[in-house]
């Protein structure tokens, strides 16, 4: 079955710097790759997603890139702010309407 | 409010007991997914329902069961509870319509924090 690996497990950056989180997936049939942000004690919230027919997607300060050949995708956050501090999860899904398989999560700390 | 409603928010119970967690998906969403999140662990998939039918099972223990009712709400039943079952249980719903066109992200509920003592 699908396996998603996520790196790094923790990331500390200075406010205003960029942060990059990387994920690799194992199932070449995966076609949907969302990213979720989870603040302490709260529910995971979808922040951006990308489908397999697109190589890059951007929404203000966040962007996601997908390399299908290498089977990896990355989240880029620019101009980080303290409120970006949270746990970020990548996920992948293959087929249609199937479960999301999540990475282990990255704790992002933005220091002001 | 995400539109996905989970009750109760907190549950404290003793080992060996049985509990039921309830989830109402966003209006119009036919797919419901249950995930378990333990301390220091990610989101582990338990089970999926689509329009009342079980669609996929993950690492769900035999002591756990679930169902989705005709009004699309879902219940997760956990029995013979053990200390290790203490976790945050999330329900999520998706607007996937059964068509092989798009996949969609989930909307998660706020979760039920289960503490087994």
């Amino acid at each position: 079955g699908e396996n998603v690996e996520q790196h790094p497990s923790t990331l500390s950056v200075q406010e205003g710097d960029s942060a990059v989180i990387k994920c690799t997936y194992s199932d070449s049939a995966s076609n949907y790759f969302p990213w979720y942000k989870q603040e302490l004690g709260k529910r995971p919230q979808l922040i951006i997603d990308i489908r397999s027919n697109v190589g890059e997607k951007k929404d203000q300060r966040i962007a996601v890139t997908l390399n299908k050949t290498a089977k990896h995708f990355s989240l880029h956050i620019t101009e980080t702010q303290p409120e970006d501090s949270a746990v970020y999860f990548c996920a992948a899904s293959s087929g249609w309407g199937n479960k999301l398989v999540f990475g282990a999560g990255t704790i992002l700390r933005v220091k002001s | 409010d995400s539109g996905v409603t989970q009750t109760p928010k907190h549950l404290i119970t003793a080992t060996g007991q049985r509990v039921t967690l309830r989830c109402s998906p966003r209006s119009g969403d036919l797919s419901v997914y249950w995930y378990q999140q333990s301390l220091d662990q990610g989101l582990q998939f338990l089970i999926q329902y689509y329009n009342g039918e079980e669609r996929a099972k993950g690492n769900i223990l035999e002591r756990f069961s679930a169902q989705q009712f005709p009004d699309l709400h879902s219940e997760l039943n956990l029995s013979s509870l053990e200390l290790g079952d203490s976790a945050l249980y999330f329900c999520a719903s998706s607007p996937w319509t059964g068509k092989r066109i798009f996949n969609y992200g989930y909307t998660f509920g706020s979760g039920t924090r289960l503490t087994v003592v």
Side-chain angles (χ1 to χ4, degrees):
Chain A
E2 175 72 277
N3 183 50
V4 177
E5 293 191 357
Q6 183 171 347
H7 299 280
S9 56
T10 60
L11 179 58
S12 289
V13 300
Q14 205 65 36
E15 182 178 0
D17 287 350
S18 294
V20 180
I21 304 171
K22 298 181 180 181
C23 289
T24 59
Y25 59 97
S26 61
D27 187 350
S28 56
S30 290
N31 57 25
Y32 179 66
F33 309 90
W35 285 86
Y36 285 81
K37 175 183 180 182
Q38 186 179 26
E39 296 175 358
L40 193 61
K42 303 248 179 109
R43 64 185 180 91
Q45 290 191 276
L46 179 67
I47 56 171
I48 196 167
D49 58 8
I50 192 167
R51 293 185 170 87
S52 58
N53 58 345
V54 175
E56 184 173 357
K57 184 177 178 181
K58 191 173 180 180
D59 183 4
Q60 299 184 331
R61 293 187 299 109
I62 60 173
V64 57
T65 58
L66 171 64
N67 183 326
K68 285 189 294 182
T69 304
K71 290 192 282 187
H72 69 70
F73 56 114
S74 300
L75 177 71
H76 304 253
I77 306 174
T78 58
E79 300 171 19
T80 53
Q81 300 166 5
E83 50 265 39
D84 293 330
S85 296
V87 181
Y88 290 80
F89 291 97
C90 63
S93 176
S94 61
W96 304 104
N98 292 338
K99 69 178 187 291
L100 288 174
V101 176
F102 286 85
T106 296
I107 301 171
L108 174 64
R109 296 191 183 95
V110 180
K111 297 175 285 187
S112 57
Chain B
D1 181 15
S2 69
V4 179
T5 304
Q6 287 190 250
T7 56
K9 291 194 185 308
H10 301 277
L11 204 45
I12 301 175
T13 190
T15 54
Q17 294 298 303
R18 181 180 190 276
V19 296
T20 296
L21 313 184
R22 183 189 168 102
C23 169
S24 293
R26 280 193 327 173
S27 177
D29 285 359
L30 302 177
S31 280
V32 169
Y33 308 80
W34 286 96
Y35 281 79
Q36 179 192 57
Q37 186 174 42
S38 304
L39 273 175
D40 298 329
Q41 289 199 19
L43 293 152
Q44 303 297 319
F45 171 69
L46 295 177
I47 197 163
Q48 176 198 359
Y49 284 85
Y50 174 73
N51 202 19
E53 302 276 333
E54 180 186 302
R55 191 160 187 269
K57 256 184 177 177
N59 297 323
I60 187 167
L61 300 170
E62 285 191 12
R63 300 183 286 108
F64 296 1
S65 65
Q67 55 185 327
Q68 187 180 29
F69 295 86
D71 66 352
L72 300 177
H73 91 271
S74 178
E75 292 180 357
L76 179 66
N77 301 296
L78 316 176
S79 61
S80 303
L81 284 166
E82 302 174 358
L83 296 178
D85 298 327
S86 296
L88 197 49
Y89 291 84
F90 283 108
C91 164
S93 72
S94 152
W96 183 65
T97 59
K99 294 182 180 176
R100 299 181 173 219
I101 302 174
F102 282 129
N103 277 319
Y104 298 89
Y106 303 162
T107 298
F108 280 87
S110 297
T112 293
R113 182 168 295 281
L114 173 67
T115 303
V116 183
V117 297

